[in-house]
Amino acid sequence: MGDAVERDADAEARERAARRDEAVRAAVEQGLLGPDAAVVGLLDVTGIRRSAAALRAAFDTAVPPGTPVLHAFAVKATPLVPVLRLLHEAGLGAEVASPGELALARAAGVPAGRTVLDAPAKTPAELREALALGIAVNADNPQELDRLDALVHTGSTRSPLGLRVNPQLGGGSIRATSTATATSKFGVPLRDEGARDWVVRAFLARPWLTRLHAHTGSQGIPLPLLARGVAETYALAEEINARAGRRQVDTLDIGGGLSVDFASEAAEPTYAQYARALADRVPGLFDGRYGLVTEFGRSLMARHGTVVARVEYAKSAGGRRIAVTHAGVQVATRTVYAPEAWPLRIAAYDAEGHPKRGPEVVQDVAGPACFAGDLLAEGRALPALEQGDHVAALDTGAYYFAHHYAYNSLARPGIYGFAPDGAGGVALTVVREPQTVAEVVAESGGAHTAALTALGAPGSR
Ligand SMILES: *Cc1c(COP(=O)(O)O)cnc(C)c1O
């Protein structure tokens, strides 16, 4: 069976690469990518639909029919309204963590009943809005629970309410994405002295508190550690329910966090493997007594996005070839600032958008920003890149081009979705317009040119 799964994964990866190649060529042919639009983001609609279906299937086969399961896509991974709409139509909901993300989910038509609000710093106004809308809220800490007390007592709400806990199991290979360390800023730290008892009493005192939430971490957290985080949450729910003498906790929100292999096309771990690991480690999780919420982000979207940029110049320095491209820190911030933790595979295409062949040479792939570290890849073996060629940064569908960083006032690139056009070609559609330079000026205080010179000037008060 393992072999069959691997063959499927290999075939899937080959198909994905073929779809991407066609999309790059189509973007060049259709003029979306060229001298006047030197960098774009591309999203593979077919791939996104398949990942959403694989996630649903993995859990549907694990739970008894009728068990409520909500897969709330972590909006921060790809905060784009058309993506949220596509995932909504594929049967997913939304996990939001700011007023902006909530507004995006609402603009996409994700109903309140399929939206979950988690955030470490929710204001009273945000909490009030969420409860008025009926959105599920996971409180982060005792002070937030006090605020919910006040809101629940002053009005009725349909919002399912929960508490986020930190199982304090330790981190993974990337510190910044490890949320279950002893000193993580998220949730109630369960292993601190007296904390577990406090949580149980907090639930017993609040009959309306019905959910437990834990997100053990993101990229770099090994699957067994994720499963242990879920096991701890489940055990706590059982303890609370035993003490309450009823099924007070009726839903477990198990977070997201499945890693993506950015160094290869390897599909593991898959959602099916994760669900099987959970079934082994926490059998009671899937017996139908608990509704489930998941919050996957990166594992749903990363593989389905590509940044493609023109090579503006090809030069050499100190014996090293350097391709100077239009994709750098503004679209691949984490990779540029922390290349060891966030490596990206690079594919080479020629000026027409065909995969570039030829002997490989070691070269740097540099971005357009004015600092020496602005490199997409350093010392990478690729076919020799020339002026007018293109480079593609692969697996950038989550936490990359949708997370623009405005260094050097570089404009946000256009983002296009692609899918077969039904006639043997590729249809491309606008997901986000490229930002204009006029918009850059406007959001950089362009309407307030004299604001500072007028301050304290002679004749002013
Ligand atoms: C970031 C985040 C997620 C999504 O994590 P991925 O690694 O992208 O799957 C889910 N839940 C919470 C609370 C998060 O902060």
Side-chain angles (χ1 to χ4, degrees):
M1 200 192 99
D3 280 1
V5 169
E6 258 171 51
R7 261 198 310 281
D8 283 358
D10 284 354
E12 181 88 35
R14 272 196 308 277
E15 285 172 32
R16 197 164 53 225
R19 288 197 300 271
R20 180 177 65 228
D21 288 351
E22 285 179 33
V24 172
R25 199 174 58 238
V28 174
E29 269 170 20
Q30 297 178 26
L32 301 175
L33 176 61
D36 299 328
V39 54
V40 296
L42 300 177
L43 282 167
D44 177 1
V45 173
T46 309
I48 296 169
R49 285 204 173 103
R50 285 190 187 163
S51 284
L55 172 59
R56 291 182 62 194
F59 280 77
D60 286 351
T61 48
V63 296
T67 308
V69 180
L70 171 64
H71 298 293
F73 171 66
V75 170
K76 77 168 181 280
T78 313
L80 296 166
V81 173
V83 168
L84 303 182
R85 168 64 72 105
L86 177 65
L87 292 173
H88 166 54
E89 292 202 345
L92 274 54
E95 187 260 356
V96 301
S98 72
E101 288 183 358
L102 174 56
L104 296 184
R106 297 185 72 193
V110 181
R114 301 186 65 75
T115 304
V116 179
L117 173 65
D118 300 324
K122 308 176 197 83
T123 64
E126 286 171 58
L127 289 170
R128 218 175 301 119
E129 184 189 16
L131 265 57
L133 291 169
I135 286 165
V137 176
N138 290 312
D140 179 83
N141 59 63
Q143 293 178 346
E144 192 177 334
L145 214 45
D146 288 345
R147 289 183 179 177
L148 285 181
D149 279 337
L151 289 170
V152 167
H153 288 140
T154 52
S156 65
T157 177
R158 285 168 294 126
S159 292
L161 300 172
L163 180 68
R164 179 167 183 173
V165 294
N166 170 9
Q168 291 173 300
L169 296 173
S173 60
I174 304 176
R175 193 157 176 263
T177 55
S178 296
T179 48
T181 59
T183 55
S184 158
K185 72 175 179 183
F186 298 105
V188 178
L190 276 187
R191 293 178 182 212
D192 280 13
E193 206 184 324
R196 193 183 179 94
D197 242 29
W198 180 87
V199 169
V200 174
R201 279 184 283 111
F203 271 82
L204 297 181
R206 294 173 181 80
W208 42 265
L209 206 52
T210 57
R211 294 185 166 190
L212 266 180
H213 172 223
H215 168 68
T216 297
S218 292
Q219 185 70 14
I221 304 288
L223 198 143
L225 189 59
L226 285 182
R228 272 180 63 205
V230 176
E232 296 272 335
T233 315
Y234 171 82
L236 179 58
E238 293 281 279
E239 184 181 335
I240 291 166
N241 289 348
R243 291 273 294 278
R246 68 188 185 97
R247 294 248 321 284
Q248 177 172 346
V249 178
D250 60 16
T251 301
L252 297 175
D253 181 336
I254 64 173
L258 223 54
S259 289
V260 170
D261 185 347
F262 286 97
S264 81
E265 289 281 356
E268 293 171 1
T270 63
Y271 291 124
Q273 285 167 335
Y274 185 40
R276 277 197 296 277
L278 290 178
D280 284 349
R281 187 78 175 69
V282 204
L285 183 70
F286 290 145
D287 65 11
R289 284 177 303 136
Y290 291 99
L292 297 172
V293 176
T294 74
E295 306 172 341
F296 294 103
R298 181 179 291 102
S299 55
L300 270 162
M301 288 295 302
R303 293 285 193 211
H304 309 308
T306 310
V307 173
V308 194
R310 265 168 67 86
V311 177
E312 195 65 51
Y313 299 110
K315 57 196 281 190
S316 123
R320 173 68 58 88
R321 283 186 71 104
I322 305 164
V324 180
T325 81
H326 289 274
V329 75
Q330 88 277 32
V331 287
T333 314
R334 278 181 168 161
T335 294
V336 168
Y337 285 134
E340 280 79 30
W342 302 100
L344 284 175
R345 287 182 300 142
I346 306 290
Y349 293 89
D350 66 17
E352 281 78 49
H354 299 285
K356 185 143 192 179
R357 318 272 175 218
E360 296 195 333
V361 239
V362 170
Q363 52 202 312
D364 288 356
V365 181
C370 298
F371 66 98
D374 187 30
L375 300 173
L376 267 188
E378 199 173 354
R380 200 64 70 83
L382 291 166
L385 289 163
E386 306 292 349
Q387 217 173 0
D389 284 346
H390 296 93
V391 292
L394 309 187
D395 306 330
T396 46
Y399 304 99
Y400 278 95
F401 54 75
H403 295 65
H404 189 81
Y405 174 60
Y407 200 92
N408 273 148
S409 301
L410 288 160
R412 284 190 284 269
I415 299 176
Y416 305 91
F418 64 86
D421 67 2
V426 179
L428 285 147
T429 179
V430 175
V431 170
R432 186 185 74 191
E433 299 280 357
Q435 189 181 29
T436 64
V437 166
E439 287 165 345
V440 172
V441 173
E443 71 174 33
S444 304
H448 310 283
T449 310
L452 299 178
T453 47
L455 262 193
S460 77
R461 288 195 301 132

PDB file of all heavy atoms in Angstrom, residues 305-329:
ATOM      1  N   GLY A 305       1.276  27.465  -5.319  1.00  0.00           N
ATOM      2  CA  GLY A 305       1.637  28.818  -5.727  1.00  0.00           C
ATOM      3  C   GLY A 305       3.055  28.880  -6.260  1.00  0.00           C
ATOM      4  O   GLY A 305       3.932  28.120  -5.827  1.00  0.00           O
ATOM      5  N   THR A 306       3.286  29.760  -7.238  1.00  0.00           N
ATOM      6  CA  THR A 306       4.613  29.943  -7.834  1.00  0.00           C
ATOM      7  C   THR A 306       4.845  31.424  -8.068  1.00  0.00           C
ATOM      8  O   THR A 306       3.976  32.106  -8.609  1.00  0.00           O
ATOM      9  CB  THR A 306       4.682  29.217  -9.203  1.00  0.00           C
ATOM     10  OG1 THR A 306       4.221  27.874  -9.052  1.00  0.00           O
ATOM     11  CG2 THR A 306       6.098  29.197  -9.748  1.00  0.00           C
ATOM     12  N   VAL A 307       6.002  31.898  -7.651  1.00  0.00           N
ATOM     13  CA  VAL A 307       6.425  33.255  -8.024  1.00  0.00           C
ATOM     14  C   VAL A 307       7.256  33.119  -9.289  1.00  0.00           C
ATOM     15  O   VAL A 307       8.182  32.304  -9.328  1.00  0.00           O
ATOM     16  CB  VAL A 307       7.327  33.883  -6.947  1.00  0.00           C
ATOM     17  CG1 VAL A 307       7.898  35.216  -7.440  1.00  0.00           C
ATOM     18  CG2 VAL A 307       6.577  34.082  -5.644  1.00  0.00           C
ATOM     19  N   VAL A 308       6.925  33.884 -10.320  1.00  0.00           N
ATOM     20  CA  VAL A 308       7.743  33.856 -11.532  1.00  0.00           C
ATOM     21  C   VAL A 308       8.261  35.265 -11.805  1.00  0.00           C
ATOM     22  O   VAL A 308       7.485  36.226 -11.773  1.00  0.00           O
ATOM     23  CB  VAL A 308       6.958  33.351 -12.760  1.00  0.00           C
ATOM     24  CG1 VAL A 308       7.929  33.013 -13.897  1.00  0.00           C
ATOM     25  CG2 VAL A 308       6.121  32.138 -12.414  1.00  0.00           C
ATOM     26  N   ALA A 309       9.564  35.357 -12.060  1.00  0.00           N
ATOM     27  CA  ALA A 309      10.171  36.673 -12.261  1.00  0.00           C
ATOM     28  C   ALA A 309      11.122  36.641 -13.450  1.00  0.00           C
ATOM     29  O   ALA A 309      11.732  35.613 -13.749  1.00  0.00           O
ATOM     30  CB  ALA A 309      10.933  37.096 -11.008  1.00  0.00           C
ATOM     31  N   ARG A 310      11.221  37.775 -14.121  1.00  0.00           N
ATOM     32  CA  ARG A 310      12.184  37.913 -15.222  1.00  0.00           C
ATOM     33  C   ARG A 310      13.600  38.095 -14.696  1.00  0.00           C
ATOM     34  O   ARG A 310      13.807  38.718 -13.657  1.00  0.00           O
ATOM     35  CB  ARG A 310      11.845  39.143 -16.063  1.00  0.00           C
ATOM     36  CG  ARG A 310      10.996  38.851 -17.273  1.00  0.00           C
ATOM     37  CD  ARG A 310      10.484  40.142 -17.837  1.00  0.00           C
ATOM     38  NE  ARG A 310      11.561  40.960 -18.400  1.00  0.00           N
ATOM     39  CZ  ARG A 310      11.996  40.830 -19.651  1.00  0.00           C
ATOM     40  NH1 ARG A 310      11.472  39.918 -20.440  1.00  0.00           N
ATOM     41  NH2 ARG A 310      12.946  41.620 -20.109  1.00  0.00           N
ATOM     42  N   VAL A 311      14.532  37.551 -15.451  1.00  0.00           N
ATOM     43  CA  VAL A 311      15.940  37.822 -15.175  1.00  0.00           C
ATOM     44  C   VAL A 311      16.263  39.127 -15.900  1.00  0.00           C
ATOM     45  O   VAL A 311      16.204  39.190 -17.133  1.00  0.00           O
ATOM     46  CB  VAL A 311      16.844  36.681 -15.696  1.00  0.00           C
ATOM     47  CG1 VAL A 311      18.307  37.026 -15.474  1.00  0.00           C
ATOM     48  CG2 VAL A 311      16.476  35.364 -15.011  1.00  0.00           C
ATOM     49  N   GLU A 312      16.546  40.172 -15.123  1.00  0.00           N
ATOM     50  CA  GLU A 312      16.827  41.476 -15.745  1.00  0.00           C
ATOM     51  C   GLU A 312      18.266  41.511 -16.282  1.00  0.00           C
ATOM     52  O   GLU A 312      18.490  41.969 -17.395  1.00  0.00           O
ATOM     53  CB  GLU A 312      16.601  42.594 -14.725  1.00  0.00           C
ATOM     54  CG  GLU A 312      16.502  43.976 -15.339  1.00  0.00           C
ATOM     55  CD  GLU A 312      15.280  44.117 -16.248  1.00  0.00           C
ATOM     56  OE1 GLU A 312      14.173  43.777 -15.811  1.00  0.00           O
ATOM     57  OE2 GLU A 312      15.443  44.552 -17.410  1.00  0.00           O
ATOM     58  N   TYR A 313      19.189  41.028 -15.480  1.00  0.00           N
ATOM     59  CA  TYR A 313      20.600  40.994 -15.892  1.00  0.00           C
ATOM     60  C   TYR A 313      21.248  39.689 -15.451  1.00  0.00           C
ATOM     61  O   TYR A 313      20.845  39.106 -14.434  1.00  0.00           O
ATOM     62  CB  TYR A 313      21.378  42.150 -15.244  1.00  0.00           C
ATOM     63  CG  TYR A 313      20.861  43.515 -15.626  1.00  0.00           C
ATOM     64  CD1 TYR A 313      20.194  44.301 -14.687  1.00  0.00           C
ATOM     65  CD2 TYR A 313      21.034  44.015 -16.912  1.00  0.00           C
ATOM     66  CE1 TYR A 313      19.710  45.557 -15.024  1.00  0.00           C
ATOM     67  CE2 TYR A 313      20.555  45.265 -17.259  1.00  0.00           C
ATOM     68  CZ  TYR A 313      19.891  46.034 -16.310  1.00  0.00           C
ATOM     69  OH  TYR A 313      19.410  47.274 -16.659  1.00  0.00           O
ATOM     70  N   ALA A 314      22.232  39.238 -16.206  1.00  0.00           N
ATOM     71  CA  ALA A 314      23.065  38.112 -15.786  1.00  0.00           C
ATOM     72  C   ALA A 314      24.486  38.629 -15.702  1.00  0.00           C
ATOM     73  O   ALA A 314      25.014  39.186 -16.664  1.00  0.00           O
ATOM     74  CB  ALA A 314      22.958  36.977 -16.791  1.00  0.00           C
ATOM     75  N   LYS A 315      25.097  38.524 -14.543  1.00  0.00           N
ATOM     76  CA  LYS A 315      26.441  39.086 -14.379  1.00  0.00           C
ATOM     77  C   LYS A 315      27.315  38.106 -13.620  1.00  0.00           C
ATOM     78  O   LYS A 315      26.869  36.999 -13.273  1.00  0.00           O
ATOM     79  CB  LYS A 315      26.363  40.443 -13.679  1.00  0.00           C
ATOM     80  CG  LYS A 315      25.668  40.386 -12.333  1.00  0.00           C
ATOM     81  CD  LYS A 315      25.248  41.761 -11.849  1.00  0.00           C
ATOM     82  CE  LYS A 315      26.421  42.517 -11.250  1.00  0.00           C
ATOM     83  NZ  LYS A 315      25.996  43.754 -10.549  1.00  0.00           N
ATOM     84  N   SER A 316      28.525  38.521 -13.341  1.00  0.00           N
ATOM     85  CA  SER A 316      29.377  37.645 -12.558  1.00  0.00           C
ATOM     86  C   SER A 316      30.248  38.491 -11.646  1.00  0.00           C
ATOM     87  O   SER A 316      30.607  39.630 -11.967  1.00  0.00           O
ATOM     88  CB  SER A 316      30.160  36.724 -13.500  1.00  0.00           C
ATOM     89  OG  SER A 316      31.529  36.855 -13.309  1.00  0.00           O
ATOM     90  N   ALA A 317      30.535  37.978 -10.468  1.00  0.00           N
ATOM     91  CA  ALA A 317      31.369  38.695  -9.494  1.00  0.00           C
ATOM     92  C   ALA A 317      32.191  37.689  -8.716  1.00  0.00           C
ATOM     93  O   ALA A 317      31.645  36.725  -8.181  1.00  0.00           O
ATOM     94  CB  ALA A 317      30.487  39.503  -8.530  1.00  0.00           C
ATOM     95  N   GLY A 318      33.498  37.917  -8.698  1.00  0.00           N
ATOM     96  CA  GLY A 318      34.387  37.033  -7.950  1.00  0.00           C
ATOM     97  C   GLY A 318      34.294  35.592  -8.409  1.00  0.00           C
ATOM     98  O   GLY A 318      34.456  34.673  -7.620  1.00  0.00           O
ATOM     99  N   GLY A 319      33.965  35.407  -9.684  1.00  0.00           N
ATOM    100  CA  GLY A 319      33.859  34.057 -10.214  1.00  0.00           C
ATOM    101  C   GLY A 319      32.482  33.432 -10.025  1.00  0.00           C
ATOM    102  O   GLY A 319      32.234  32.329 -10.498  1.00  0.00           O
ATOM    103  N   ARG A 320      31.572  34.129  -9.341  1.00  0.00           N
ATOM    104  CA  ARG A 320      30.223  33.617  -9.140  1.00  0.00           C
ATOM    105  C   ARG A 320      29.253  34.228 -10.141  1.00  0.00           C
ATOM    106  O   ARG A 320      29.223  35.448 -10.324  1.00  0.00           O
ATOM    107  CB  ARG A 320      29.770  33.976  -7.707  1.00  0.00           C
ATOM    108  CG  ARG A 320      28.313  33.664  -7.377  1.00  0.00           C
ATOM    109  CD  ARG A 320      27.991  32.191  -7.311  1.00  0.00           C
ATOM    110  NE  ARG A 320      28.757  31.446  -6.352  1.00  0.00           N
ATOM    111  CZ  ARG A 320      28.420  31.279  -5.067  1.00  0.00           C
ATOM    112  NH1 ARG A 320      27.346  31.844  -4.600  1.00  0.00           N
ATOM    113  NH2 ARG A 320      29.158  30.541  -4.278  1.00  0.00           N
ATOM    114  N   ARG A 321      28.469  33.381 -10.818  1.00  0.00           N
ATOM    115  CA  ARG A 321      27.402  33.903 -11.707  1.00  0.00           C
ATOM    116  C   ARG A 321      26.252  34.394 -10.841  1.00  0.00           C
ATOM    117  O   ARG A 321      25.887  33.749  -9.861  1.00  0.00           O
ATOM    118  CB  ARG A 321      26.880  32.792 -12.608  1.00  0.00           C
ATOM    119  CG  ARG A 321      27.769  32.446 -13.778  1.00  0.00           C
ATOM    120  CD  ARG A 321      27.054  31.443 -14.663  1.00  0.00           C
ATOM    121  NE  ARG A 321      25.935  32.060 -15.377  1.00  0.00           N
ATOM    122  CZ  ARG A 321      25.990  32.374 -16.674  1.00  0.00           C
ATOM    123  NH1 ARG A 321      27.080  32.146 -17.375  1.00  0.00           N
ATOM    124  NH2 ARG A 321      24.950  32.916 -17.255  1.00  0.00           N
ATOM    125  N   ILE A 322      25.659  35.498 -11.256  1.00  0.00           N
ATOM    126  CA  ILE A 322      24.510  36.038 -10.518  1.00  0.00           C
ATOM    127  C   ILE A 322      23.410  36.411 -11.507  1.00  0.00           C
ATOM    128  O   ILE A 322      23.657  37.168 -12.455  1.00  0.00           O
ATOM    129  CB  ILE A 322      24.892  37.308  -9.709  1.00  0.00           C
ATOM    130  CG1 ILE A 322      26.073  37.015  -8.771  1.00  0.00           C
ATOM    131  CG2 ILE A 322      23.685  37.810  -8.910  1.00  0.00           C
ATOM    132  CD1 ILE A 322      26.743  38.268  -8.236  1.00  0.00           C
ATOM    133  N   ALA A 323      22.230  35.865 -11.301  1.00  0.00           N
ATOM    134  CA  ALA A 323      21.069  36.286 -12.077  1.00  0.00           C
ATOM    135  C   ALA A 323      20.326  37.310 -11.230  1.00  0.00           C
ATOM    136  O   ALA A 323      19.864  36.994 -10.126  1.00  0.00           O
ATOM    137  CB  ALA A 323      20.172  35.095 -12.386  1.00  0.00           C
ATOM    138  N   VAL A 324      20.222  38.528 -11.734  1.00  0.00           N
ATOM    139  CA  VAL A 324      19.499  39.579 -11.007  1.00  0.00           C
ATOM    140  C   VAL A 324      18.055  39.565 -11.494  1.00  0.00           C
ATOM    141  O   VAL A 324      17.784  39.863 -12.662  1.00  0.00           O
ATOM    142  CB  VAL A 324      20.149  40.963 -11.237  1.00  0.00           C
ATOM    143  CG1 VAL A 324      19.377  42.041 -10.478  1.00  0.00           C
ATOM    144  CG2 VAL A 324      21.616  40.939 -10.812  1.00  0.00           C
ATOM    145  N   THR A 325      17.141  39.187 -10.613  1.00  0.00           N
ATOM    146  CA  THR A 325      15.735  39.011 -11.001  1.00  0.00           C
ATOM    147  C   THR A 325      14.859  40.023 -10.260  1.00  0.00           C
ATOM    148  O   THR A 325      15.342  40.816  -9.461  1.00  0.00           O
ATOM    149  CB  THR A 325      15.238  37.599 -10.642  1.00  0.00           C
ATOM    150  OG1 THR A 325      14.894  37.558  -9.248  1.00  0.00           O
ATOM    151  CG2 THR A 325      16.283  36.529 -10.932  1.00  0.00           C
ATOM    152  N   HIS A 326      13.557  39.942 -10.513  1.00  0.00           N
ATOM    153  CA  HIS A 326      12.610  40.849  -9.861  1.00  0.00           C
ATOM    154  C   HIS A 326      11.893  40.202  -8.683  1.00  0.00           C
ATOM    155  O   HIS A 326      10.914  40.747  -8.184  1.00  0.00           O
ATOM    156  CB  HIS A 326      11.604  41.373 -10.891  1.00  0.00           C
ATOM    157  CG  HIS A 326      12.236  42.345 -11.843  1.00  0.00           C
ATOM    158  ND1 HIS A 326      12.353  43.687 -11.567  1.00  0.00           N
ATOM    159  CD2 HIS A 326      12.848  42.155 -13.045  1.00  0.00           C
ATOM    160  CE1 HIS A 326      12.976  44.286 -12.564  1.00  0.00           C
ATOM    161  NE2 HIS A 326      13.282  43.382 -13.476  1.00  0.00           N
ATOM    162  N   ALA A 327      12.341  39.041  -8.243  1.00  0.00           N
ATOM    163  CA  ALA A 327      11.728  38.399  -7.075  1.00  0.00           C
ATOM    164  C   ALA A 327      12.780  38.288  -5.976  1.00  0.00           C
ATOM    165  O   ALA A 327      13.811  37.653  -6.168  1.00  0.00           O
ATOM    166  CB  ALA A 327      11.199  37.014  -7.431  1.00  0.00           C
ATOM    167  N   GLY A 328      12.510  38.928  -4.872  1.00  0.00           N
ATOM    168  CA  GLY A 328      13.447  38.877  -3.755  1.00  0.00           C
ATOM    169  C   GLY A 328      12.689  39.028  -2.461  1.00  0.00           C
ATOM    170  O   GLY A 328      11.623  38.424  -2.276  1.00  0.00           O
ATOM    171  N   VAL A 329      13.224  39.879  -1.598  1.00  0.00           N
ATOM    172  CA  VAL A 329      12.707  39.976  -0.233  1.00  0.00           C
ATOM    173  C   VAL A 329      11.243  40.400  -0.195  1.00  0.00           C
ATOM    174  O   VAL A 329      10.522  40.068   0.739  1.00  0.00           O
ATOM    175  CB  VAL A 329      13.590  40.955   0.585  1.00  0.00           C
ATOM    176  CG1 VAL A 329      13.316  42.402   0.192  1.00  0.00           C
ATOM    177  CG2 VAL A 329      13.423  40.724   2.073  1.00  0.00           C
TER     178      VAL A 329
END
